[in-house]
Amino acid sequence: MDHYDLLIRNGRVLDADSGFDDIADIAISNGKIERIGPNINPASSSDSIDASGQWVMPGMIDTHVHVANAADLGRIRGLGLQMVAGAGATTVIDLGGSMDALTAGITARGSGVNVGSLGYLKPGETVPEGRLSPGKIAEIVDTALEAGSLGIKLWGGYYPFTPDETAKFISTANDIGAYVAYHVGTTATGSRLDGLREVPALLGSKGRIHLAHINAYCRGSILPVEDEIREALQILDDLRGQIVSEVHLARPNFTLGKCNDDGNVLADVVGNCLRLRNYDPTADGIRAALRDGYASTVDETRTGLVLVTGERGIELFNEGNTDVPMSFPVNNAISAFQLTAAKNSQNEFIVDAIGSDAGVLPRNVNIEQAMRLVKFGALEPTEMVLKLSLNPAKMMGLNSKGRLSEGHDADVTIIDPELGKASHGIVAGKLIMLAGRVVGSGGTILTTRRGERAIESTGIPYETIDISKAMMYSGRI
Ligand SMILES: [Zn+2]
């Protein structure tokens, strides 16, 4: 008789690759899926999970998180790794972090998730101040790969380069075979629709890129929101062979509350959020918005950061001397919804994936929000799985993940459809989240061949991936 390590029994198994959607058992051995079928003998397995009434999907892959930034909000290292596992992720890609912060996080508070990271480009930290020569740009991309990153993240919305430098970063990463993600914006444009309009010129006919959180560029700052959404979708569809993209579905934004000595808020975003509801753009305005429950800041618990408002929020704001993270429920639901659901004339989704832009930010709501779209009828269950797992796997070239079929990695996410949340997470056949509670530890770093030596020296397990297989380079197959 066959013998398995783990059996997931009686769940509704959803696989976007094969279109499979039926009640079945999944048998796992040695970290791989051995068999999927009805009525596998429970006595044939050492361990089993009863998934009756639950949905079973290939492990959620979140291609946009923040868990490895030296300046992360959490004072406890690695808290973001706990939070992503608690939300049902089994693999995450840190979109702009340092490998040192990542390895420290995995060591301190790893949750068993697989993590890849893109090196962030910040003048004065990872990049010299002032104009950059092509040689310097090549050196910066090389340094990121040698450190173990999968590539680079251009943070145009915060640290914009000139259009020439931006184009050179992209073409250099493309030539070297590094992954490259872009939060749009250069010195000539912003983190808005104009930044997205600039992308075709930056890419030329050959450039390849991952465009981050498309909804962030459709907030109605240039045109009415509906027109921005329509134009953004057209730009993405026209660039179909050259880009991959994601949206996030969270209502809360994140920004900084810091005020100057006169008590006026420094960040534009904060001022705008306050004025939107007729609060003064001042420290007292923030206090009033916190008191009313409109503004939130974050507090730290053992399992992660949480949004807090009211008197406790004011206390934290005062303790932090205004220099604390702030959040307002202002992200546009219409753009998130339309960008997620939109299909092109070939009936293909225009935006490939749902990515949280969360991690250590308390808005890891991919599954929660996608389940709402499923209940609403905007996504079929297997379409949700496509956006949460199969397409993200393809985006990263993770060909053994994103699929629930024999021979693939036994990374699995189980969803409680009543709660609309992940209940269990399994990585390589091992439970990392059980009934909503994170039980995993450590983790595996995803790196490229060039980063093997650096990761080896940390002692953390790693898996080497081939970025030439990433969808931006290999195409949509
Ligand atoms: Zn981000």
Side-chain angles (χ1 to χ4, degrees), residues 64-66 95 153 155 158 183 212-213 356-358 361 363:
H64 190 156
V65 303
H66 297 282
L95 240 58
K153 163 76 178 293
W155 237 325
Y158 294 97
H183 175 157
H213 50 47
S356 66
D357 195 10
L361 303 174
R363 58 171 179 191

Side-chain angles (χ1 to χ4, degrees), residues 55-95:
W55 293 11
V56 182
M57 62 170 269
M60 196 232 309
I61 299 171
D62 193 335
T63 61
H64 190 156
V65 303
H66 297 282
V67 294
N69 196 318
D72 266 344
L73 305 178
R75 289 178 295 267
I76 304 172
R77 281 212 179 276
L79 216 42
L81 295 166
Q82 295 288 314
M83 293 162 73
V84 296
T90 56
T91 296
V92 295
I93 307 299
D94 184 274
L95 240 58

